Amino acid sequence: MTPPAVEPRKPAILTVDDDPAVSRAVTRDLRRHYGERYRIVRAESGADAIATLKELKLRGDAVAVIVSDYRMPQMSGIDFLEKAMDMYPLARRVLLTAYADVSAAIDAINVVDLDHYLQKPWDPPAEKLYPVIDDLLEKWHATGDRAMPYTKVIGHRYSDRSWEVRQFLARNGYSFRAVNAEEPKGQQLLEAAGLDDSRLPVVITEKGETLVEPTDVELATLLGLSTSPQLEMYDLAVIGGGPAGLAAAVYGASEGLKTVLIEKSSTGGQAGRSSKIENYLGFPRGVSGAELTTSARLQAEKFGAEVITTQEAGKLEVNGVGAAHSIQLNEDHTIGARAVILATGVDYRQLQITGCWDDPDDPGCNYIGRGVYYGASVSDNSECAGEDVYIVGGANSAGQAAMYMSQTAKSVTMLIRGSSLEAGMSQYLVDRILKTPNITVRTCTEVIDTTADDDHLTGLLLSDRRTGETETVTCDRMCCFIGATPRTDWLEEAGIARDDHGFVLSGPDVMKVSGWMLDRPPHHLETSVPGVFVAGDVRSESAKRVAAAVGEGSMAVMLVHRYLAEA
């Protein structure tokens, strides 16, 4: 999906006057002189002007100058400017007064921190209006508020759901800005939307539409993603939207198969979270995981593949050799497919220490999404600005996260159980890390406990595996990359053979552990169930590299064609 284009917006100059003739006159003069650089907005009452400011705030537009009449019914210019200050405190304020109101206007300077007052009439504007506005605009540009012409996600810093919403949008390539609900900007946006911080997160779109505590389905609808299958039967169903699944969808659809890809959250898998992949063939300057996988999704859709988001495969029903298999999805959807490719990928293994895992005996003690994260933790590296970040793990994904967050974090410390980075990481990445001044690598070190403040992580207890010595450190954010757990529990009922670690067996390995029911041997990537194939990290003994996953996804489609020709 292509992220929505964000066009530069002109800052607004707002005029408010209950006299239509005066209102038109000041708008005409402002537009004549400033119309090319600013958006001139007119209101004829204080209430209308407040409504206009709320709309501008929700849309993320900046307001540079507010010009208000003093004498207006229902709401005086002073009262209006007081309310306007709450939404746009940095906008410059001008009061229009008649000669008899000059003393009142002067007294009001202290009330609304007035920047200037003008007497009516202001003719000629070149002498009496434009020099004043020019000066105020210059001051506003030096210190003033800036537009936020993006979708805004307002949430608490230590809210797991707020983090999940940001991740969902970011991993689907959607432009947005994260706003802390406790900061003035967040409070202003909530007030403009008529909300408070009791129901978060809140998503305010670029057009000013508001989603309160949105579900993944609502977010997918916002992004224009499909959330339910269009057909009941497909030639090929691909389960999982990482590099292997995307490659399978591209090749399946391009070769004429009715193809559907099912992904529970966002396409890309673990690769989609990588800030920069520098050793993928054909990208000498590197490519972000999101860019690579978003392009792959667009490519699959271009060839006619149906990509379904927010659906998860929960059951695979095997209907016999040559018959279509049934896949049960959430929300009571069931689809049929003549062939299936399993590309569900893996989850990062959870640390079995306080607050770092889904402990059924203590569900309230969980800091996941509130300082503890598995995989990449930030949708924008500004989220970790000024923080002390610890990264647990020494593979490429951990190194890429360290490099990305080091751009804004106060410090990044990598904790490695082994004796060196080189054992599990590409050399080019090792060299980059060692040259980055705010990244520290601690080998032979592991996390054995956590410290917390109320509901979020504040520190770690570390142990030196060589000496046994322990140390408590301050930690704002811990990101874990400590091995893989395959997403295969749902396959047990279907009789899919797996190894001792839960990874799916295929090809010759199937013959060693299960009764193969056909005269022919299983195809190289075929599982113990004929017509069900596996590709990518979820396959036993796979290479765990993006290029390998892409290759297996495309190879699996070739084997699907052979299977369908035989059936």
Side-chain angles (χ1 to χ4, degrees):
M1 177 189 158
T2 304
V6 178
E7 298 180 359
R9 290 183 180 160
K10 301 175 183 178
I13 298 176
L14 175 66
T15 74
V16 192
D17 200 302
D18 67 306
D19 185 329
V22 176
S23 179
R24 287 193 297 270
V26 68
T27 300
R28 177 201 62 217
D29 288 344
L30 290 173
R31 187 169 288 134
R32 182 177 297 162
H33 194 69
Y34 301 103
E36 291 186 3
R37 294 167 292 156
Y38 299 88
R39 180 185 173 194
I40 311 302
V41 182
R42 179 165 71 100
E44 294 187 357
S45 72
D48 288 345
I50 291 296
T52 297
L53 287 176
K54 286 183 177 180
E55 180 181 345
L56 293 170
K57 174 61 73 173
L58 290 176
R59 286 166 51 90
D61 289 345
V63 176
V65 176
I66 300 172
V67 181
S68 174
D69 185 31
Y70 172 59
R71 287 187 178 273
M72 294 188 294
Q74 285 83 47
M75 184 185 298
S76 72
I78 301 299
D79 292 337
F80 160 68
L81 289 174
E82 278 193 283
K83 294 180 182 295
M85 286 174 64
D86 294 333
M87 287 181 280
Y88 285 97
L90 299 179
R92 301 295 166 163
R93 294 172 285 278
V94 179
L95 200 64
L96 292 177
T97 66
Y99 179 78
D101 298 323
V102 171
S103 60
I106 293 174
D107 292 338
I109 289 176
N110 293 328
V111 177
V112 294
D113 194 21
L114 200 65
D115 293 291
H116 204 93
Y117 70 90
L118 286 171
Q119 290 185 39
K120 304 176 187 178
W122 54 84
D123 289 331
E127 296 180 11
K128 297 185 177 181
L129 179 64
Y130 299 152
V132 171
I133 302 300
D134 285 344
D135 180 61
L136 296 180
L137 288 172
E138 182 179 348
K139 293 177 180 178
W140 180 83
H141 277 288
T143 61
D145 200 5
R146 293 294 179 266
M148 292 181 65
Y150 298 89
T151 291
K152 278 78 67 177
V153 179
I154 308 166
H156 289 304
R157 179 182 181 188
Y158 298 113
S159 162
D160 51 353
R161 183 53 188 164
S162 296
W163 174 72
E164 289 169 358
V165 168
R166 296 195 303 270
Q167 288 289 308
F168 187 94
L169 295 177
R171 293 184 62 194
N172 280 292
Y174 193 80
S175 299
F176 70 95
R177 289 291 182 267
V179 183
N180 191 334
E182 292 146 4
E183 295 179 352
K185 177 71 72 176
Q187 290 294 319
Q188 291 167 13
L189 287 168
L190 289 173
E191 183 178 348
L195 302 169
D196 57 34
D197 60 2
S198 63
R199 297 181 61 197
L200 294 176
V202 170
V203 176
I204 301 175
T205 72
E206 184 184 352
K207 297 180 180 179
E209 301 164 337
T210 302
L211 300 177
V212 180
E213 297 179 306
T215 64
D216 285 354
V217 172
E218 289 175 319
L219 294 173
T221 301
L222 167 66
L223 273 59
L225 303 175
S226 297
T227 59
S228 59
Q230 301 301 307
L231 303 176
E232 294 183 356
M233 179 62 66
Y234 296 86
D235 296 321
L236 172 63
V238 181
I239 313 300
L246 288 167
V250 167
Y251 281 90
S254 67
E255 294 172 9
L257 298 177
K258 290 181 182 178
T259 302
V260 62
L261 184 150
I262 306 296
E263 170 56 49
K264 67 176 182 178
S265 57
S266 54
T267 52
Q270 290 187 2
R273 306 180 193 182
S274 296
S275 57
K276 197 172 187 180
I277 303 170
E278 296 192 68
N279 61 350
Y280 189 73
L281 184 67
F283 293 90
R285 295 182 179 84
V287 61
S288 74
E291 182 182 356
L292 180 65
T293 55
T294 297
S295 297
R297 177 185 183 129
L298 291 172
Q299 193 174 16
E301 291 176 328
K302 182 191 77 170
F303 285 122
E306 191 179 327
V307 181
I308 309 300
T309 307
T310 71
Q311 292 282 350
E312 184 174 9
K315 182 179 179 181
L316 174 63
E317 184 176 336
V318 178
N319 295 323
V321 177
H325 303 303
S326 297
I327 303 166
Q328 183 178 321
L329 310 176
N330 55 330
E331 298 184 1
D332 299 323
H333 286 294
T334 299
I335 61 172
R338 298 170 62 204
V340 177
I341 295 177
L342 304 174
T344 51
V346 295
D347 289 318
Y348 286 110
R349 189 176 300 128
Q350 293 186 339
L351 282 172
Q352 302 296 295
I353 58 177
T354 304
C356 297
W357 66 297
D358 298 316
D359 186 352
D361 297 326
D362 191 5
C365 183
N366 192 326
Y367 314 136
I368 299 174
R370 293 174 287 168
V372 175
Y373 305 93
Y374 288 93
S377 71
V378 295
S379 51
D380 187 308
N381 61 11
S382 63
E383 289 184 39
C384 61
E387 292 184 346
D388 292 310
V389 177
Y390 281 75
I391 293 181
V392 183
N396 276 9
S397 53
Q400 289 159 353
M403 290 299 301
Y404 185 56
M405 288 188 274
S406 70
Q407 297 172 24
T408 59
K410 177 183 177 183
S411 68
V412 175
T413 303
M414 299 192 69
L415 305 177
I416 313 295
R417 285 174 55 88
S419 59
S420 71
L421 275 180
E422 287 82 357
M425 189 179 295
S426 298
Q427 189 60 48
Y428 82 90
L429 199 49
V430 174
D431 295 340
R432 296 278 180 84
I433 288 170
L434 296 180
K435 292 178 181 178
T436 303
N438 63 334
I439 297 181
T440 301
V441 179
R442 296 183 59 165
T443 58
C444 300
T445 304
E446 61 183 338
V447 183
I448 59 174
D449 206 351
T450 60
T451 61
D453 180 8
D454 294 329
D455 62 349
H456 65 273
L457 181 76
T458 58
L460 307 175
L461 180 61
L462 307 180
S463 173
D464 188 314
R465 303 183 70 220
R466 293 163 296 194
T467 65
E469 295 180 354
T470 61
E471 176 189 2
T472 300
V473 296
T474 299
C475 174
D476 300 301
R477 184 183 301 261
M478 177 175 67
C479 307
C480 303
F481 303 81
I482 54 169
T485 301
R487 302 167 180 164
T488 58
D489 290 345
W490 66 285
L491 296 171
E492 185 172 357
E493 191 174 335
I496 302 289
R498 297 173 292 164
D499 65 18
D500 293 340
H501 301 288
F503 292 89
V504 176
L505 296 169
S506 64
D509 292 335
V510 167
M511 304 292 287
K512 301 175 184 177
V513 298
S514 67
W516 177 251
M517 62 186 71
L518 301 183
D519 293 335
R520 66 166 176 83
H523 296 299
H524 179 62
L525 297 177
E526 196 168 17
T527 71
S528 58
V529 174
V532 178
F533 298 80
V534 62
D537 290 0
V538 73
R539 185 179 67 82
S540 180
E541 302 297 329
S542 62
K544 308 297 188 292
R545 287 288 188 267
V546 175
V550 170
E552 289 188 7
S554 57
M555 181 190 297
V557 173
M558 177 188 71
L559 300 175
V560 164
H561 280 294
R562 291 184 186 176
Y563 167 78
L564 293 176
E566 297 164 352

